[in-house]
């Protein structure tokens, strides 16, 4: 079955409830994580109660660059590097694919994807002059004002949350589960099926729109649904050997000019870089809640969703944000997709 149709009502468009139900029933995503991801997508890059997989500028995942979709994706191109954020880049696919050369034992588990996360982060620094690693070093997004029109301001959610999820979700949701392998095995054939890649090993091809759930594939057990806590632990696991992925920063208009953003200055000393590394989930929650305080009415509703979780975890709050620290980043204000201009020097 074409897997986007499992929760996209065969059109790639779905309501918040559709996405929550679909991701739970098909992939085993717990309702707490699914609710937040679906609600953010619909409110910030959709029609409030529904949104799309593809879409157009500022609508749907494809049009949400720097708001939901982010640079340094596993297999899709950086928007300013390729002029598209929806095209699967075969060189990136081969980078991952070749990390498990033996087809008989191949398993693209989280340890493999952690190494690949570091590869892709560094590749964006080396090849995308406008690479922007979002302000939030972990979970939640905001930065669209909803007055007469939506105006992009910044993109914390897409930084560590969506960016890291793009890697961890590959194994956590696509791995084939069994009694012998309850966390799953993601072999070459399963990976290719989900990514719509086929052909001989030396000439693999991507065919857009043919992503499929493989035959004889099994999802997560109901007792082991992938929850918000699970996701938070995976972020820390990815960062354990790749700490740079939790560094807010950007290239400043040329490749290899990556400059960190001062987290302490950004948060009014509420969070230091050490705090971010120790608890990226808390940082993201606190950041998003601080943002909700000065965004529109719709986003204040999202703040009400975040605050109870933040309080339960005992996270420090951020009294105010100093967004001027991001002004040196050319990619900071780039909000769009699914197509765009290729940056000079890419």
């Amino acid at each position: 079955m074409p897997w986007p149709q499992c929760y996209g009502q065969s059109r790639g468009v779905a309501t918040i409830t559709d996405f929550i139900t679909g991701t739970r029933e098909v992939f085993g995503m717990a309702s707490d994580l699914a609710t937040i991801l679906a609600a953010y997508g619909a409110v910030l890059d959709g029609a409030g109660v529904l949104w799309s997989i593809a879409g157009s500028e500022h609508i749907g995942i494809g049009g949400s660059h720097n708001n939901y979709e982010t640079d340094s994706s596993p297999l899709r191109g950086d928007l300013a590097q390729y002029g598209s954020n929806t095209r699967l880049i075969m060189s990136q696919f081969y980078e991952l694919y070749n990390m498990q050369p033996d087809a008989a034992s191949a398993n693209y588990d989280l340890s493999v994807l952690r190494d690949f996360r570091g590869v892709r982060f560094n590749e964006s620094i080396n090849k995308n002059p406008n690479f922007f690693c979002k302000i939030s070093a972990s979970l939640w997004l905001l930065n669209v004002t909803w007055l007469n029109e939506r105006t992009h301001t910044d993109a914390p959610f897409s930084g560590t949350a969506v960016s890291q999820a793009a890697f961890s979700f590959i194994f956590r949701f696509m791995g084939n589960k069994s009694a012998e392998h309850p966390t799953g095995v993601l072999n070459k054939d399963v990976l290719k099926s989900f990514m719509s890649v086929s052909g001989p090993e030396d000439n693999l091809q991507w065919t857009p729109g043919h992503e499929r759930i493989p035959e004889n594939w099994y999802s997560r057990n109901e007792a082991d649904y992938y929850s918000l806590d699970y996701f938070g632990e995976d972020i820390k696991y990815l960062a354990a050997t790749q700490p740079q992925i939790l560094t807010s920063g950007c290239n400043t208009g040329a490749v290899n000019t990556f400059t960190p953003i001062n987290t302490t200055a950004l948060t009014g000393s509420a969070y230091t870089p050490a705090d971010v590394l120790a608890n990226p989930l808390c940082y993201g929650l606190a950041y998003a809640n601080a943002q909700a305080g000065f965004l529109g009415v719709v986003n204040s509703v999202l703040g009400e969703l975040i605050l109870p979780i933040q309080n339960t975890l005992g996270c420090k709050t951020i009294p105010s944000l100093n967004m001027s620290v991001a002004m040196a980043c050319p990619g900071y204000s780039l909000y769009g997709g699914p197509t765009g201009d290729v940056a000079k020097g890419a």
Side-chain angles (χ1 to χ4, degrees):
M1 180 179 189
W3 67 267
Q5 292 186 12
C6 296
Y7 52 87
Q9 300 297 309
S10 302
R11 298 175 290 113
V13 177
T15 66
I16 292 173
T17 301
D18 289 334
F19 276 107
I20 293 169
T21 302
T23 54
R24 181 182 66 246
E25 294 183 353
V26 177
F27 291 110
M29 182 184 290
S31 294
D32 58 354
L33 180 57
T35 297
I36 292 172
L37 294 176
Y40 273 127
V43 169
L44 297 183
D45 291 293
V49 295
L50 55 81
W51 64 314
S52 68
I53 293 173
S56 56
E57 187 174 358
H58 301 176
I59 298 294
I61 295 176
S64 67
H65 181 71
N66 270 354
N67 212 44
Y68 199 101
E69 180 274 328
T70 180
D71 283 334
S72 196
S73 297
L75 304 176
R76 309 288 164 163
D78 284 10
L79 182 61
Q81 182 182 350
Y82 288 99
S84 169
N85 62 0
T86 60
R87 179 159 57 95
L88 187 143
I89 306 301
M90 284 306 302
S91 62
Q92 293 170 205
F93 182 87
Y94 269 118
E95 283 176 330
L96 174 59
Y97 194 72
N98 291 337
M99 294 177 87
Q100 295 286 281
D102 185 353
S105 61
N107 183 17
Y108 300 90
D109 63 12
L110 210 61
S111 66
V112 175
L113 288 158
R114 178 166 66 176
D115 291 343
F116 185 53
R117 178 72 188 102
V119 169
R120 286 291 301 125
F121 189 91
N122 293 330
E123 191 170 25
S124 285
I125 292 175
N126 297 336
K127 297 181 179 180
N128 180 1
N130 291 346
F131 173 50
F132 180 45
C133 184
K134 313 309 180 293
I135 299 297
S136 154
S138 183
L139 214 55
W140 277 293
L141 166 70
L142 274 339
N143 307 353
V144 177
T145 57
W146 285 67
L147 298 174
N148 294 324
E149 60 183 6
R150 285 177 280 186
T151 304
H152 176 71
T153 59
D154 164 47
F157 179 44
S158 53
T160 300
V162 170
S163 185
Q164 307 335 320
F167 290 81
S168 65
F169 285 9
I170 289 175
F171 174 66
R172 294 302 189 193
F173 293 136
M174 297 181 184
N176 196 359
K177 316 302 187 293
S178 65
E180 296 77 17
H181 301 284
T183 60
V185 172
L186 181 55
N187 63 24
K188 289 179 179 286
D189 287 340
V190 173
L191 179 67
K192 287 188 292 185
S193 182
F194 273 112
M195 298 302 173
S196 191
V197 171
S198 60
E201 292 287 286
D202 60 349
N203 190 29
L204 295 173
Q205 302 289 326
W206 173 55
T207 306
H210 287 255
E211 297 84 359
R212 296 188 66 85
I213 293 175
E215 300 293 334
N216 300 313
W217 176 89
Y218 296 90
S219 182
R220 302 182 70 90
N221 187 286
E222 185 175 350
D224 189 38
Y225 278 173
Y226 190 80
S227 66
L228 186 58
D229 287 341
Y230 211 148
F231 177 41
E233 290 303 310
D234 278 354
I235 293 176
K236 290 192 283 187
Y237 176 83
L238 293 173
T241 62
Q242 309 294 334
Q244 72 275 22
I245 68 175
L246 296 186
T247 302
S248 301
C250 65
N251 276 345
T252 57
V255 298
N256 297 313
T257 58
F258 188 78
T259 304
I261 290 171
N262 189 323
T263 305
T264 306
L266 171 70
T267 63
S269 300
Y271 281 82
T272 66
D275 293 329
V276 173
L277 289 172
N279 201 332
L281 186 59
C282 265
Y283 175 50
L285 287 166
Y287 187 104
N289 194 54
Q291 281 291 92
F294 61 84
L295 294 176
V297 174
V298 173
N299 286 332
S300 71
V301 174
L302 297 182
E304 292 173 7
L305 177 67
I306 296 165
L307 189 57
I309 301 173
Q310 181 181 332
N311 291 338
T312 298
L313 295 175
C315 303
K316 296 186 293 185
T317 60
I318 299 175
S320 62
L321 294 170
N322 175 16
M323 301 310 302
S324 65
V325 297
M327 298 310 295
C329 302
Y332 165 76
S333 60
L334 179 59
Y335 171 38
T339 60
D341 296 331
V342 174
K344 182 179 180 181

